[in-house]
Amino acid sequence: MDANAELALSVVAVMVVHQPEYSLGGAAASQFDEVLRSLAAQDYPNLKTLFLLPDDPGDLPALIRERIPGAFVRAVPGNPGFGGAANEVMRLVEGDNGFFMIMHDDVVLEPGATRILVEELYRSNAGIVGPKLVMWNEPRLLQHVGLGVDRFGEVDPLVEPGEVDQEQHDAVRDVFALPSACMLVRADLFKALGGFDPLVDFYGDDLDLCWRAHLSGARVVVVPAARARHREALATRRPDLAHHGLAAKHRVRTVATLTGGLRLPVVLLQMLLISLLEMVVGLFTGRFGEAFASFRSTVGLLAHVGSIIKRRRQIAPLRHVPYREVAGLQIRGSARLASYLRNREQSHMAVDHSAVGSRRFTRNTATQVGAWSAVILLALIGSRRFISDGVPTIGQFLRFPDSTRTLLGDYWAGWWSHGLGRTSAVPTGIGLIGVGGIVSLGNMGLFHTAAVLAWLPIGYLGAWKLMSIFPSSRARIVGLIAFAAIPLPYSALGAGRWSVVAAYGAMPWIVHLLRRIALIEPALTARADADVADASAPVHRREQLRDLAKLALVTSVVTAFAPTFGLIVLIVGITLALATVVGRGSLGAAATLAVAALISAVAAVALNLPWFSTLFGANGWDTFVGAPTVATDGLGVDRILRFSVGPAQLGVLAIALWIPVVAAPLLARGWRLTWAGRGGLLAAVSFLLAVLGERDALPFRLPELGLLLAPAAVGIALAAACAAAAFEQDVQGGSFGWRQPLGLVSGIAIFFGAIPAVAATADGSWSTPSDTLSQPSDQFAQDPLDGDSRTLYIGDTRVMPLDGWRFDDAGLTGISYAVVDDGPLTVAEQWSGLPSDAERELANVLRLIATNATARAGRLLAPYSIRYVVVPLIDGLTSTSDDPLPVPSGLIDGFTAQLDFRQQLSPPNYRVYENSAWVPTQSNLSALAADESNQAGLEALASIQIAGSTPELVGMDERGPGSGVIEAGVLHVSKPFDARWSMTVGETVVVARPAFGTTMAFDVAAAGPGTLTYTTDTSRHVGVVIQALAWLALLVVASRVRWSWVLRRRRTALVPVDGPLIDIGAREPVAAPWIFAPGTGPESLVDDDVTVSLQRPASASDGDTELPEGPAPVTGEETTS
Amino acid sequence: MNVRRTLIGAAIAIVCIAAVVVSRQSQAITTADFGSVAVVSRPYASHLSPLTTTWYCPGVPAGDDSVGGEVVIANVTDVARNGSITLLGTDGMQPITEPITVPPRDTLVFDVDEAATATYVSAFVELDGGEGMVEQRAIHPAGDAVASCATQTSSTWYFADGFTVSNSIEQLILTNPTADTANLDITFVTAERIANPPAFQGRSIAPRSVQAISIAESGLRSESVIAVKVTTTAGRIIVGRAQHYLGGGRSGFTLSLGSSVVSDQLWFANGVKQTGVSEQYVLYNPTEQTVSVDVLVLGIGLPEGFVEPEPVSIAAGRVATFDTSTIVGLPDGAHAMVFSTLAQPAIVAERVLTEPTDAGVSTSVVLGMTAEYVVTRWYVPIGVDQATEDALVIQNLDGLDATVTVKAVGPAGAVAVPGLEAVSLPSSAVISIDLTDPSTFGQALVVESTQRIFVERRLPRGHDLEGRSGSWALPECGQCNFSLPGS
């Protein structure tokens, strides 16, 4: 040990190493190596190093010792977070006569940094000092020169994003806080303060420590002469953390524990109000998550009042300075609001550590607010009648049942009341709506409206997220606007196509999540010649798994309502993979895209079991793409290009939105070109599929047009954003050529292309037809006195108001039919599934009508309680008054020729026939019918008149139980025979028997009070529970829910297992121990230029603290855990 | 342009070009088709097996004891046929439904006027399966009339002939067998004008009821030609026509079923040129286009001097008459006639045959048979009760000689009538067959031929009246070339 070392007080550099990525090798390991070398190169003579390694250290100790032979390495049990780990220094270092240099493991110190810090600490008589931090990849850019903090704990970075270091901040000055990335703190002060707050694991640990230092009277000073490079990449290095939530939570905790008692109530109230305001603003800026985290943390204080009080009591002895003096050091007003207004917020791209360099992501917040305001206004104005009057009952917008209990009960019971009813797996969508009803507190009308309209902002937000790949605010905004300008969802809203609206809303999330799973990130290059085709960012496996779970979750939810959505996702994944290959991106990424899409599709199937299993069988494809239609002239290419799938007359200008698809690949370079290819190919493939579907050019039918076009919406938005980014980065500023005009044309195309969408907002309901074909069911009484009944819908599949079953096996007629119970149509009619045997028998009866094989179809339909037959003619969408579809040949004549049907008065858009031979759903059969009910076959039915039966159990719930007085005789129940139904009359249990070959009857010997009951199989309940658990598991994986109590237990398990490693000697106590005694301060410095020429403080001059001879080598075996 | 840009651009371009190519493919546009039920222009017998068959009879008079009617249900199969008969009547008569069972190889005669009393009573018969046959016989002092019952209701009905000269009574019998109210409009066409009397526009017929309308009520009195078109705006009905001739060169009573369609060819087997016989054809064009109707004489060898009749031009919505006496060179005797539009179906044609009797004349009116029914087997549910000469008139439609067999359906099944086992029918000729063998009396008959034929009946008028009523036998279909709606 040389003389300088003997004179200098010990500095123990304490570095908490988050080692997983270093063990991966590659760039991260190389960077850590640079960190170690910088420490080894420090010219401070008495520098000791202590490395704290949470989790399994692997071979890092060897690596560290290779670079710094005298380094102390200790494993830290559990994962207590940065502060908790750093606090180990208090246990591992004996004495307080020295300094702790707390460091992150991604900081590279300049060789003289430690020395300069120590010198300035003496000179300024400070308790904590810190260096000037610059960007890792671009050291000319400033990162931090201390931190300003307001009374709410919000940090003002003090430097502008991307601000170039021109020595403008090089004066030593007091700051409120220093980043914990690198700070030199007096050991006695650190120990007196108790180190970092152990409950602040990440984010805010530095603020809390510095704030307490101020309270105790210590100065916090930034020393710009000392420089360090810092990656500051916690967001990507620890993707498992809820960053916004942690930051807000810790900030609020710090404010609550350290703010002066008198000021605290006002400050908390102000925080609450500001967080509320932020939430509102966050809706428009895409920062709602952060704002909500702030709000939640503030409100959450109530739950932690006890611990806050306890903490305040612990800190009370440290309060040596009047709080007003501390408050005086804080920034006035709101640092967050100030930086917001000054557009000074900075965001970190996840690619700071990219191999090709970095560029700061800048925001133009005012423009973002404008763009978000525009798209939200578009949605609100266009949907105003949906919001004010409720969603019209059209297409798939069938109303939700009033009771959540009914939905969940149906789901639990397993009696699927659709059609004639059957024991079958109930569609998952029913369960999801039921759960949604609970979330909406049973306000099903509101939930219905939200469930339809929410997909718009969800889609916008997804597009916004997806566009975050572009490091340009302008590109992101253009992408958002282009996506919102696509007329597809508005056209689909007008047509009542819920599945299309949902696909539109979900699709950008699908692409976004696929991208994240494939680790595709923008390569932010400083120079064009360094540009690459694609870049990837290492992401924690857990985060990748979470994204995959999110992808599966989104796919599963939409698949529950649009069964082909999983297929669409698969197509999107394959298309993106192909585009990646064509764009010479990473083959691994391409494979991941396809595989992730496949996994999500499979997961969607699995999560929708057992319902999904019921969709397969003869003509099962109908359940995915609907019943077949006859050949039509289609919409034409122009209407496909205009996304015109509904009634809204969308102008031809919408076609202009496709221009960026062509322009982007011509404009872009580097990774932007790859994305242009992805967007372009996505749009082109979607367009091709739409045309193939419309032209029926494949051997099989494709999903509905709107679903096929949903990926195109994302593709166009991607292409538009890509064109904007390319124009900004690749074209602008270059020599004039054809690219500049093309870029302008692309931008102008978005502007004009948005006009049709804006125009579509005029009527406030997206041109929804005023007369809908759901009206017939509205006009039929629900639970009338003459008994419950059903309605048969039959007609051209294109105008059917609800999904039906094909009329003919070959699917050539273009006719479909459906059966509904009396009363208004509900969302339950949305899932037709495959017809049961009884429902197929209905088709047989209808075919008898079609072939003139009977004039008594009314009698044949009577056992199914079909009282009304509705023939839809004009739906206002496919068939309009001005251009009606031809009435299916033979349909009207067929029913008119029947002897039991009478036509009811109805509007011209549909015809209604009443079956005079019907019998109620539950009825006591006439004597003649009772006799005949033992016979099976249509011949028997056709020859008897079973009308005249007496209704019973009127208004009974579809799945029972139904109670009432049962007359003696034969109780006929118009449901397919199922032994799970039973009847109790008085004390007698009556067993069901088949009636008329298909339905059910109960032979009641004596009248009495009776109950008709359906008994659910236990297997159904087990299935539902398994399914619910599967959904829950996926939700947990997809969420950031952490079992914090478990983590806390793991933290408390952090107990000393060994003694101190380093002894830096003890300091004699003085009044203010961390204030140097006179004559021992800066003036005692000998020479700034000498490597080590520090005089020991007087209090430490007694030499009672011997520095150890040198750090004892720490072997791997010595590492404790 | 770098390779990546080229590859990406090419990929997008290829996909877009493929989409454009596919979009240019045209495809046949079709209409949704619930059921292409054939347009049945005339009743027929079938061996098909629908679930049930319903026969709608045009109605018989049943107002008093002097008139009446019966419904005859023939079952030529080996199993009994169950069903029901429902009687609907005018004058607010409540429907009457009675179950029936027709024994195998037998006929069931249901006496309508015994079961119900009303000015007119219509019956519809519902039978299990499809092999029964139903006809009606109206009993009237001026002469009984046999008519087939229809197997389909319709929204349009046509009659070409109408006659109110000398206070002759002509009535339309409108039957609505369905559960729905029918609304209809009636158009009358005389030689001079087209009349749409307000009283007959928007007329309603209650469910399961019958209305009888006297054409004279429309003001069309003393008209020798009155074509009728009945069109429903709601519902489907059956329309029959009762004619009681009281002078003006006609005499007798007819009751026939209307035509529910217009046709392009109408055939008549029983034409006669003979002194004192008036053979007149009434041609009605209810369409909105003028049509030219060719007139062909068949069934005879055309002698020298025969002059092909000129085509008859009929203006849109108008009616015309054609008298065979105007055919130059037409020899005396039997012949057949064909009226053809050579274009789209457009006409309805009826033959008015007035033959001399000892007491004056006897008039029969028969609707032309359509070209779908050129078949080899015909059924005669209502035959003769006594020996009758020239009871059947058979026309050979093919250019080959044929052999005709007439069978009577009895307990032993269909058995050839002695003497009628192999009747020679020269090519394209018309012959008459006598039903004199007792085995034919009261039995359903089957006429089989080795070539395609038409069979008309010339049945006695009853009540000891001379002259014959005219009606068609029932062709057996299965191979009938029915047209589809709209074709």
Side-chain angles (χ1 to χ4, degrees):
Chain A
M1 182 177 288
D2 61 24
N4 284 336
E6 289 179 2
L7 289 173
L9 283 184
S10 295
V11 172
V12 180
V14 183
M15 182 174 289
V16 179
V17 184
H18 177 63
Q19 71 272 26
E21 58 179 343
Y22 301 137
S23 60
L24 294 175
S30 163
Q31 288 161 1
F32 184 58
D33 188 56
E34 196 176 350
V35 170
L36 296 177
R37 288 175 186 275
S38 77
L39 269 177
Q42 290 300 299
D43 58 8
Y44 189 73
N46 194 4
L47 177 64
K48 303 176 184 2
T49 51
L50 172 61
F51 293 87
L52 300 167
L53 280 61
D55 301 323
D56 178 15
D59 57 356
L60 269 186
L63 174 66
I64 293 169
R65 284 197 303 276
E66 181 184 339
R67 296 294 175 218
I68 308 174
F72 294 91
V73 182
R74 276 294 180 271
V76 179
N79 189 354
F82 176 79
N87 283 350
E88 284 288 282
V89 72
M90 294 186 290
R91 187 178 61 82
L92 296 173
V93 177
E94 183 77 38
D96 55 5
N97 193 18
F99 309 100
F100 296 149
M101 189 161 68
I102 313 291
M103 291 183 69
H104 289 185
D105 61 354
D106 55 354
V107 173
V108 172
L109 295 171
E110 289 191 347
T114 307
R115 175 180 53 80
I116 295 170
L117 287 173
V118 173
E119 289 171 358
E120 190 56 45
L121 186 143
Y122 275 100
R123 183 181 294 120
S124 300
N125 203 8
I128 305 174
V129 293
K132 172 167 69 181
L133 296 176
V134 295
M135 306 298 279
W136 179 278
N137 287 320
E138 291 192 56
R140 65 192 180 90
L141 299 181
L142 290 169
Q143 189 180 72
H144 292 299
V145 189
L147 302 170
V149 175
D150 65 10
R151 62 187 179 284
F152 308 119
E154 292 283 4
V155 172
D156 185 339
L158 299 179
V159 295
E160 300 288 341
E163 186 174 339
V164 176
D165 183 11
Q166 296 172 319
E167 302 180 356
Q168 68 273 36
H169 293 286
D170 276 3
V172 173
R173 67 170 186 261
D174 285 287
V175 291
F176 195 84
L178 289 165
S180 58
C182 181
M183 59 167 61
L184 184 76
V185 56
R186 288 181 56 152
D188 52 346
L189 172 63
F190 191 75
K191 290 189 174 180
L193 293 176
F196 291 107
D197 184 344
L199 292 184
V200 178
D201 43 7
F202 295 100
Y203 291 107
D205 40 18
D206 42 15
L207 169 66
D208 189 85
L209 180 73
C210 293
W211 196 324
R212 279 183 281 133
H214 285 298
L215 289 174
S216 64
R219 288 179 69 192
V220 178
V221 172
V222 63
V223 187
R227 252 168 56 114
R229 289 158 56 214
H230 181 213
R231 278 172 64 199
E232 198 174 36
L234 183 62
T236 49
R237 295 181 64 198
R238 292 301 305 272
D240 55 313
L241 301 177
H243 298 275
H244 295 318
L246 281 176
K249 177 182 165 188
H250 297 159
R251 175 177 60 81
V252 170
R253 173 181 167 82
T254 298
V255 172
T257 53
L258 302 183
T259 303
L262 293 177
R263 291 172 183 247
L264 185 58
V266 177
V267 169
L268 290 179
L269 182 62
Q270 288 174 326
M271 281 174 61
L272 190 66
L273 293 175
I274 286 177
S275 60
L276 279 171
L277 178 65
E278 281 180 339
M279 279 207 301
V280 175
V281 177
L283 284 173
F284 298 91
T285 60
R287 303 179 71 91
F288 180 81
E290 297 171 44
F292 180 71
S294 178
F295 175 77
R296 185 178 56 189
S297 301
T298 308
V299 175
L301 280 176
L302 292 173
H304 300 93
V305 170
S307 66
I308 296 293
I309 293 173
K310 183 179 175 185
R311 177 74 175 157
R312 287 182 70 89
R313 283 177 182 159
Q314 289 172 349
I315 291 167
L318 297 176
R319 295 180 185 272
H320 296 300
V321 177
Y323 188 75
R324 64 176 180 279
E325 291 185 17
V326 176
L329 298 172
Q330 293 174 331
I331 295 172
R332 292 185 180 279
S334 165
R336 190 177 179 85
L337 184 61
S339 66
Y340 175 81
L341 293 176
R342 291 178 354 236
N343 294 339
R344 289 184 58 188
E345 273 190 286
Q346 57 182 339
S347 171
H348 303 274
M349 295 301 292
V351 292
D352 256 357
H353 52 287
S354 157
V356 290
S358 68
R359 172 168 297 185
R360 306 301 295 176
F361 175 72
T362 59
R363 293 185 179 195
N364 187 338
T365 308
T367 313
Q368 288 176 16
V369 169
W372 269 102
S373 301
V375 297
I376 292 295
L377 277 176
L378 173 81
L380 288 176
I381 293 173
S383 309
R384 61 187 184 275
R385 281 175 56 193
F386 280 45
I387 296 168
S388 61
D389 305 338
V391 176
T393 311
I394 180 174
Q396 296 174 324
F397 295 164
L398 301 176
R399 70 194 72 186
F400 290 174
D402 294 334
S403 168
T404 303
R405 199 173 175 180
T406 302
L407 285 164
L408 293 177
D410 285 349
Y411 199 74
W412 179 248
W415 174 259
W416 180 221
S417 59
H418 183 273
L420 298 175
R422 75 187 91 157
T423 295
S424 170
V426 178
T428 313
I430 292 291
L432 292 178
I433 293 172
V435 172
I438 293 174
V439 174
S440 69
L441 303 177
N443 192 334
M444 298 304 281
L446 177 66
F447 177 51
H448 187 208
T449 304
V452 170
L453 294 180
W455 289 107
L456 292 181
I458 286 173
Y460 300 158
L461 196 58
W464 184 252
K465 280 279 191 185
L466 175 60
M467 301 310 157
S468 66
I469 54 175
F470 298 104
S472 154
S473 176
R474 186 180 300 166
R476 205 173 178 191
I477 290 169
V478 167
L480 171 68
I481 290 176
F483 184 75
I486 303 288
L488 179 66
Y490 318 122
S491 190
L493 281 170
R497 302 310 301 171
W498 194 17
S499 53
V500 176
V501 182
Y504 169 85
M507 194 51 69
W509 290 99
I510 297 293
V511 178
H512 174 63
L513 291 169
L514 282 172
R515 172 190 75 80
R516 283 177 57 93
I517 294 164
L519 309 179
I520 300 173
E521 298 289 352
L524 302 182
T525 55
R527 304 184 315 277
D529 58 355
D531 220 340
V532 294
D534 227 351
S536 63
V539 172
H540 198 283
R541 286 277 178 198
R542 192 185 303 166
E543 184 69 8
Q544 205 174 12
L545 180 64
R546 179 177 295 139
D547 284 336
L548 187 59
K550 286 179 186 172
L551 179 69
L553 200 58
V554 173
T555 309
S556 302
V557 167
V558 181
T559 300
F561 299 92
T564 52
F565 188 72
L567 180 64
I568 303 286
V569 170
L570 188 57
I571 291 171
V572 167
I574 292 171
T575 304
L576 290 174
L578 284 175
T580 303
V581 173
V582 170
R584 294 194 173 182
S586 158
L587 290 180
T592 307
L593 285 168
V595 170
L598 179 63
I599 290 173
S600 71
V602 171
V605 172
L607 286 174
N608 280 285
L609 289 174
W611 165 64
F612 226 78
S613 66
T614 67
L615 305 184
F616 298 94
N619 298 323
W621 189 234
D622 287 7
T623 60
F624 293 89
V625 299
T629 63
V630 292
T632 63
D633 55 356
L635 294 178
V637 172
D638 65 319
R639 287 192 65 188
I640 292 174
L641 290 173
R642 280 187 277 155
F643 295 93
S644 184
V645 297
Q649 296 299 312
L650 299 165
V652 72
L653 284 174
I655 297 176
L657 291 168
W658 293 80
I659 289 177
V661 173
V662 178
L666 296 173
L667 293 172
R669 291 194 177 103
W671 62 271
R672 292 164 301 286
L673 177 58
T674 313
W675 274 107
R678 290 189 182 110
L681 209 56
L682 204 55
V685 167
S686 183
F687 172 56
L688 173 62
L689 289 174
V691 172
L692 287 170
E694 273 302 286
R695 290 288 158 184
D696 207 11
L698 294 175
F700 52 89
R701 287 175 294 128
L702 289 172
E704 66 174 297
L705 182 66
L707 282 174
L708 296 173
L709 284 174
V714 179
I716 287 175
L718 268 175
C722 221
F727 185 78
E728 201 172 34
Q729 195 165 345
D730 304 328
V731 177
Q732 213 171 27
S735 58
F736 188 80
W738 56 269
R739 284 193 170 87
Q740 280 86 351
L742 182 62
L744 288 174
V745 166
S746 177
I748 292 169
I750 299 298
F751 175 79
F752 283 105
I755 291 176
V758 174
T761 64
D763 77 338
S765 63
W766 307 111
S767 303
T768 305
S770 54
D771 294 324
T772 69
L773 284 172
S774 66
Q775 291 169 342
S777 285
D778 292 343
Q779 78 183 42
F780 305 145
Q782 186 170 13
D783 305 334
L785 290 176
D786 47 356
D788 298 326
S789 65
R790 295 195 178 100
T791 301
L792 171 73
Y793 282 78
I794 182 167
D796 191 326
T797 303
R798 293 168 293 180
V799 295
M800 282 285 282
L802 60 166
D803 276 358
W805 304 296
R806 63 167 65 190
F807 168 62
D808 56 318
D809 286 338
L812 301 175
T813 62
I815 302 284
S816 59
Y817 68 101
V819 179
V820 298
D821 291 319
D822 55 11
L825 299 179
T826 69
V827 72
E829 314 304 339
Q830 186 173 329
W831 295 272
S832 61
L834 287 173
S836 63
D837 290 342
E839 287 153 354
R840 287 196 177 91
E841 191 64 23
L842 270 181
N844 289 336
V845 175
L846 295 172
R847 280 192 281 274
L848 293 176
I849 298 174
T851 55
N852 194 33
T854 185
R856 288 297 186 184
R859 291 177 180 174
L860 305 179
L861 295 174
Y864 306 110
S865 297
I866 291 176
R867 180 174 184 177
Y868 299 104
V869 174
V870 175
V871 179
L873 301 173
I874 296 172
D875 63 351
L877 301 168
T878 310
S879 176
T880 62
S881 300
D882 296 334
D883 187 17
L885 285 177
V887 178
S889 59
L891 183 54
I892 299 297
D893 285 346
F895 279 96
T896 308
Q898 295 300 311
L899 294 173
D900 294 316
F901 284 101
R902 39 180 181 252
Q903 190 179 340
Q904 304 287 297
L905 286 176
S906 62
N909 55 331
Y910 58 87
R911 288 205 185 179
V912 177
Y913 297 91
E914 183 178 15
N915 179 13
S916 60
W918 77 287
V919 296
T921 308
Q922 293 86 228
S923 60
N924 191 288
L925 293 179
S926 64
L928 178 61
D931 288 343
E932 296 291 337
S933 70
N934 287 299
Q935 295 190 27
L938 296 176
E939 293 81 3
L941 268 176
S943 61
I944 61 161
Q945 175 60 278
I946 68 171
S949 304
T950 310
E952 301 214 24
L953 303 175
V954 175
M956 186 190 90
D957 190 88
E958 267 298 305
R959 62 183 154 81
S963 298
V965 175
I966 307 298
E967 298 298 328
V970 175
L971 176 73
H972 178 251
V973 180
S974 299
K975 303 180 192 297
F977 171 73
D978 192 327
R980 295 175 185 84
W981 285 93
S982 63
M983 162 139 259
T984 305
V985 181
E987 300 297 323
T988 308
V989 176
V990 185
V991 179
R993 67 166 172 85
F996 305 112
T998 54
T999 53
M1000 264 189 304
F1002 298 87
D1003 295 316
V1004 179
T1011 303
L1012 185 60
T1013 311
Y1014 175 79
T1015 306
T1016 305
D1017 283 347
T1018 306
S1019 60
R1020 170 65 190 170
H1021 292 164
V1022 171
V1024 171
V1025 169
I1026 291 173
Q1027 189 187 24
L1029 289 175
W1031 278 86
L1032 198 61
L1034 192 64
L1035 269 172
V1036 169
V1037 175
S1039 71
R1040 294 182 183 275
V1041 170
R1042 291 189 307 157
W1043 304 104
S1044 53
W1045 63 275
V1046 174
L1047 295 176
R1048 271 201 294 273
R1049 285 182 62 184
R1050 291 176 66 185
R1051 274 202 296 271
T1052 54
L1054 237 180
V1055 294
V1057 294
D1058 56 1
L1061 287 175
I1062 307 170
D1063 187 351
I1064 58 175
R1067 178 186 299 276
E1068 279 192 353
V1070 294
W1074 34 89
I1075 300 174
F1076 290 112
T1080 62
E1083 66 279 7
S1084 62
L1085 290 172
V1086 178
D1087 187 351
D1088 285 351
D1089 295 329
V1090 297
T1091 304
V1092 177
S1093 57
L1094 297 177
Q1095 293 180 357
R1096 301 177 69 185
S1099 58
S1101 60
D1102 300 339
D1104 56 349
T1105 55
E1106 287 277 335
L1107 291 176
E1109 287 296 318
V1114 178
T1115 65
E1117 288 72 25
E1118 290 176 320
T1119 301
T1120 58
S1121 61
Chain B
M1 187 173 285
N2 63 36
V3 176
R4 291 181 59 230
R5 196 186 307 282
T6 306
L7 285 173
I8 289 171
I12 296 172
I14 288 170
V15 174
C16 289
I17 290 169
V20 171
V21 169
V22 172
S23 71
R24 296 173 71 85
Q25 293 178 356
S26 60
Q27 56 182 346
I29 311 305
T30 54
T31 301
D33 179 19
F34 175 67
S36 301
V37 176
V39 175
V40 177
S41 58
R42 303 291 184 266
Y44 65 95
S46 169
H47 291 305
L48 299 177
S49 297
L51 187 68
T52 61
T53 310
T54 306
W55 294 79
Y56 306 95
C57 299
V60 297
D64 55 54
D65 292 341
S66 64
V67 294
E70 56 196 22
V71 172
V72 177
I73 304 132
N75 176 16
V76 298
T77 69
D78 296 334
V79 295
R81 293 288 166 195
N82 296 316
S84 65
I85 182 168
T86 301
L87 303 178
L88 309 173
T90 58
D91 316 319
M93 190 191 100
Q94 290 300 307
I96 298 169
T97 300
E98 292 189 16
I100 56 171
T101 297
V102 188
R105 303 176 293 276
D106 202 350
T107 56
L108 174 71
V109 179
F110 188 91
D111 194 334
V112 173
D113 53 292
E114 191 175 286
T117 301
T119 304
Y120 284 97
V121 174
S122 297
F124 66 87
V125 178
E126 297 173 82
L127 295 174
D128 298 345
E131 293 186 291
M133 290 170 283
V134 182
E135 290 187 319
Q136 71 167 34
R137 186 198 326 255
I139 298 170
H140 193 277
D144 300 342
V146 171
S148 296
C149 302
T151 52
Q152 289 180 359
T153 54
S154 176
S155 56
T156 54
W157 291 93
Y158 306 99
F159 293 98
D161 180 53
F163 192 82
T164 55
V165 177
S166 301
N167 295 321
S168 292
I169 299 168
E170 176 151 328
Q171 290 178 302
L172 296 177
I173 307 163
L174 311 168
T175 303
N176 178 10
T178 71
D180 208 357
T181 299
N183 297 315
L184 53 87
D185 301 323
I186 305 177
T187 299
F188 300 102
V189 183
T190 67
E192 288 79 28
R193 64 192 176 98
I194 299 173
N196 294 298
F200 300 127
Q201 308 305 307
R203 198 177 182 98
S204 292
I205 305 178
R208 299 173 189 269
S209 71
V210 180
Q211 281 190 15
I213 292 173
S214 175
I215 291 179
E217 290 175 17
S218 66
L220 299 175
R221 295 184 174 85
S222 299
E223 294 285 353
S224 59
V225 177
I226 309 170
V228 177
K229 178 171 76 173
V230 179
T231 307
T232 62
T233 53
R236 290 160 64 101
I237 58 173
I238 297 293
V239 181
R241 179 192 57 197
Q243 293 175 303
H244 185 191
Y245 304 118
L246 299 174
R250 295 190 187 185
S251 178
F253 176 80
T254 68
L255 202 157
S256 51
L257 181 69
S259 173
S260 59
V261 297
V262 292
S263 306
D264 57 348
Q265 284 184 28
L266 290 159
W267 296 67
F268 298 90
N270 181 30
V272 179
K273 183 177 183 187
Q274 191 176 316
T275 305
V277 174
S278 167
E279 183 187 357
Q280 188 182 54
Y281 295 87
V282 186
L283 311 173
Y284 175 36
N285 169 23
T287 70
E288 296 178 349
Q289 293 180 331
T290 298
V291 294
S292 177
V293 180
D294 285 349
V295 181
L296 290 175
V297 180
L298 299 175
I300 57 170
L302 298 177
E304 283 191 25
F306 176 81
V307 178
E308 288 281 353
E310 290 293 321
V312 179
S313 178
I314 313 171
R318 304 311 292 261
V319 65
T321 58
F322 178 84
D323 199 321
T324 52
S325 64
T326 63
I327 301 175
V328 177
L330 180 67
D332 285 350
H335 58 259
M337 298 290 293
V338 182
F339 296 86
S340 170
T341 62
L342 298 177
Q344 293 299 310
I347 59 170
V348 178
E350 287 186 288
R351 183 193 65 215
V352 181
L353 189 64
T354 303
E355 298 171 284
T357 63
D358 293 343
V361 295
S362 164
T363 302
S364 66
V365 180
V366 172
L367 194 64
M369 184 55 71
T370 54
E372 295 94 335
Y373 298 101
V374 282
V375 296
T376 59
R377 180 181 292 161
W378 291 69
Y379 290 91
V380 184
I382 296 179
V384 296
D385 295 326
Q386 58 189 15
T388 306
E389 295 179 345
D390 300 330
L392 301 176
V393 177
I394 302 174
Q395 178 189 0
N396 185 348
L397 298 169
D398 292 324
L400 299 172
D401 292 345
T403 300
V404 174
T405 303
V406 179
K407 298 176 179 175
V409 179
V415 177
V417 177
L420 300 178
E421 294 93 341
V423 180
S424 176
L425 176 57
S427 65
S428 303
V430 175
I431 62 170
S432 295
I433 289 181
D434 302 335
L435 297 177
T436 55
D437 190 274
S439 66
T440 63
F441 300 163
Q443 300 295 326
L445 305 175
V446 183
V447 181
E448 295 175 343
S449 170
T450 55
Q451 302 297 330
R452 299 178 301 169
I453 56 174
F454 277 144
V455 179
E456 262 197 79
R457 279 180 297 198
R458 288 169 47 81
L459 300 178
R461 297 163 64 202
H463 311 283
D464 298 326
L465 295 171
E466 289 187 83
R468 301 291 177 85
S469 70
S471 60
W472 288 94
L474 285 176
E476 180 192 78
C477 266
Q479 70 270 45
C480 290
N481 183 26
F482 293 123
S483 60
L484 297 176
S487 64

